[in-house]
Amino acid sequence: MKNVKLNKRERHTRLVEKLKEDPFLTDEELMHMFNVSIQTIRLDRLELGIPELRERIKNVAEQSYSKVRAIGGTEIVGELVDINLGTSGISILETDETMAFLKTSIVRGHNIYAQAESLAIAVIDADVALTGVANVKYKDLVKAGEKLIAKAEVTRKRANKYFVHVFTYVGQKQVFRGKFILASIEQKN
Amino acid sequence: MKNVKLNKRERHTRLVEKLKEDPFLTDEELMHMFNVSIQTIRLDRLELGIPELRERIKNVAEQSYSKVRAIGGTEIVGELVDINLGTSGISILETDETMAFLKTSIVRGHNIYAQAESLAIAVIDADVALTGVANVKYKDLVKAGEKLIAKAEVTRKRANKYFVHVFTYVGQKQVFRGKFILASIEQKN
DNA sequence: CTTATTATTAGTATCAGGTACTAAACACAA
DNA sequence: TTGTGTTTAGTACCTGATACTAATAATAAG
């Protein structure tokens, strides 16, 4: 690994990087990485305002958990900010580099699609819903870091089929439009 | 809350429910909820095979953490097994529980879509390609664990627009069909 | 070279939220 | 009454920390 001792400044920047990559590292593991004592790591965290392992893990857990929890178990891509079951809903997705092409930082289509599709499913007032048909158009490019606001509206319901329209915006600009036909599944097992 | 003492069986079912709702509850909080001693709670968890708070939190954190990585990490969703740039390509995606709905183990649509879309982009003989329009149909359910074989074919090319058809199979059975219109982007910045 | 000052390390006490184990008390049914 | 299951009490120990004191090492300033 790193068998050379860095100075404080360098160690601090690297420490922040390391923990960004992997927030599950204990002080002990970090101490070996940087070849300093555990006290030094703790002083560093103190100076940098980095919480302890258990807090870090908890933060990661709570973040993603509250999103899922809001709707009571349904898995959603993005954060649900408003929902009227059976009629409409809004979700927000903060894009980042991991969702984009390396070279261009342009967000890949399937991330935008995933947000829209999962919102469409969430809006349906049914236990389990599946996409039958989707008709989508990407109207403009989305760059990593932009915030996607998706608005879904149920336009029609026929038997167990739902027609849902989703429009996604970055600010005022529409970047995506999708029509989904969803089927709610009956538990017939 | 509950000021009546339940019997073991009832308490166990309720305990499982409670922790499903909120895995961040400590033994102490649970002990107050059920009006029993902390040892009883610990015996209960032991019998039910429920890990301690810190483990539960860690599980939640790790799950959602790896999910973010998985959906963002690769440029191509699935494994590219054959490609003829500009004409056709085949990719394989092994599905698992993380791609599926919890209750039903049915693979969520956007995973199937992501495989198809990224294969369509890969097939295009251009530096960067973006989905303009997609028209897809999910023809049958996919269960977690099944292997998706996606076959893409370029059907037409006009200026910088490509028309790509993707068919996805599980074994011999077709589960998905998609038409994508992709645009290759010129670096005009 | 000799102080200051900063950086690092050592060591102890304490905490939360547990595990693991022993033993006692209680419930109530045969 | 005796047996069996359930609950509680209590102790020792664990991890990954905080909070604190004090000593030592490294580097800069005089």
Side-chain angles (χ1 to χ4, degrees):
Chain A
M1 188 93 235
K2 278 157 214 153
N3 33 18
V4 189
K5 283 213 187 190
L6 309 162
N7 66 33
K8 213 182 177 185
R9 237 171 265 284
E10 279 187 82
R11 197 181 55 238
H12 278 196
T13 42
R14 296 215 181 216
L15 192 68
V16 172
E17 278 174 36
K18 275 283 169 201
L19 288 179
K20 205 168 201 172
E21 279 173 41
D22 183 359
F24 299 81
L25 294 166
T26 64
D27 286 0
E28 207 179 342
E29 290 171 309
L30 291 165
M31 134 189 163
H32 290 125
M33 282 183 180
F34 292 102
N35 199 30
V36 294
S37 74
I38 204 159
Q39 287 83 350
T40 302
I41 296 295
R42 284 169 183 172
L43 281 174
D44 288 348
R45 279 200 299 100
L46 204 68
E47 285 181 52
L48 296 166
I50 298 169
E52 62 169 293
L53 170 67
R54 283 158 182 164
E55 282 307 309
R56 294 197 300 271
I57 292 182
K58 207 176 170 186
N59 292 344
V60 173
E62 273 173 346
Q63 255 179 43
S64 54
Y65 197 71
S66 60
K67 285 175 197 167
V68 177
R69 191 175 190 208
I71 199 188
T74 317
E75 303 105 323
I76 272 234
V77 176
E79 192 183 352
L80 211 54
V81 293
D82 183 38
I83 187 139
N84 300 295
L85 279 179
T87 57
S88 67
I90 297 175
S91 94
I92 292 183
L93 177 64
E94 308 253 13
T95 63
D96 61 43
E97 286 296 340
T98 68
M99 302 174 185
F101 291 100
L102 285 174
K103 297 183 201 165
T104 54
S105 287
I106 292 170
V107 173
R108 275 173 280 168
H110 71 249
N111 289 287
I112 303 169
Y113 179 91
Q115 181 195 16
E117 196 207 60
S118 67
L119 175 62
I121 290 174
V123 165
I124 296 306
D125 190 7
D127 257 9
V128 182
L130 292 165
T131 311
V133 178
N135 204 305
V136 306
K137 185 173 168 99
Y138 296 85
K139 309 198 76 166
D140 211 336
L141 300 182
V142 177
K143 296 287 240 177
E146 291 183 321
K147 192 188 287 190
L148 293 169
I149 297 161
K151 302 184 184 183
E153 208 149 333
V154 178
T155 55
R156 211 159 50 192
K157 194 203 151 172
R158 218 161 50 201
N160 69 332
K161 295 231 191 298
Y162 296 79
F163 295 69
V164 184
H165 286 198
V166 180
F167 300 94
T168 304
Y169 302 86
V170 170
Q172 296 305 309
K173 190 180 66 189
Q174 191 186 319
V175 295
F176 173 93
R177 179 223 81 202
K179 275 190 255 181
F180 296 88
I181 302 177
L182 304 175
S184 71
I185 299 246
E186 309 306 321
Q187 320 284 80
K188 47 183 170 186
N189 36 312
Chain B
M1 192 87 236
K2 278 155 212 151
N3 32 20
V4 187
K5 284 214 187 191
L6 308 164
N7 66 31
K8 211 181 179 185
R9 239 172 265 284
E10 278 187 79
R11 197 180 55 238
H12 278 196
T13 42
R14 295 216 181 215
L15 191 69
V16 172
E17 277 173 35
K18 276 282 169 203
L19 288 178
K20 207 167 200 171
E21 278 173 39
D22 184 0
F24 299 81
L25 294 167
T26 64
D27 287 358
E28 208 179 341
E29 290 171 308
L30 291 166
M31 134 189 162
H32 289 125
M33 282 183 180
F34 291 103
N35 199 28
V36 293
S37 73
I38 203 158
Q39 287 83 351
T40 302
I41 298 294
R42 283 169 185 172
L43 278 175
D44 289 349
R45 281 201 297 99
L46 206 67
E47 284 181 52
L48 296 166
I50 299 171
E52 61 170 296
L53 171 67
R54 283 156 182 165
E55 281 307 308
R56 295 196 300 269
I57 293 182
K58 207 176 170 188
N59 292 345
V60 172
E62 274 173 344
Q63 249 181 44
S64 56
Y65 199 69
S66 62
K67 263 184 206 168
V68 175
R69 298 215 137 169
I71 205 172
T74 24
E75 290 281 312
I76 283 225
V77 177
E79 192 189 348
L80 211 56
V81 294
D82 183 39
I83 187 140
N84 302 295
L85 279 179
T87 59
S88 68
I90 296 173
S91 94
I92 292 182
L93 176 65
E94 308 255 12
T95 63
D96 61 45
E97 285 295 340
T98 69
M99 303 174 184
F101 291 99
L102 285 175
K103 296 185 203 162
T104 53
S105 288
I106 294 171
V107 173
R108 276 174 280 169
H110 70 250
N111 290 289
I112 303 169
Y113 179 92
Q115 180 195 16
E117 196 207 61
S118 70
L119 174 61
I121 291 173
V123 165
I124 297 306
D125 191 7
D127 255 8
V128 182
L130 292 165
T131 312
V133 178
N135 203 305
V136 308
K137 183 171 170 101
Y138 296 85
K139 308 199 76 167
D140 210 335
L141 300 182
V142 177
K143 296 287 236 177
E146 292 184 319
K147 191 187 286 188
L148 294 169
I149 298 162
K151 302 185 183 183
E153 207 147 331
V154 178
T155 55
R156 211 156 53 190
K157 191 199 156 178
R158 216 160 53 203
N160 69 334
K161 294 234 192 297
Y162 296 80
F163 294 69
V164 184
H165 285 197
V166 180
F167 299 94
T168 304
Y169 302 87
V170 169
Q172 296 305 307
K173 187 181 67 189
Q174 190 184 320
V175 293
F176 173 94
R177 177 224 83 200
K179 277 189 252 180
F180 297 89
I181 303 177
L182 305 174
S184 70
I185 301 246
E186 310 305 318
Q187 317 287 79
K188 48 182 168 184
N189 39 317

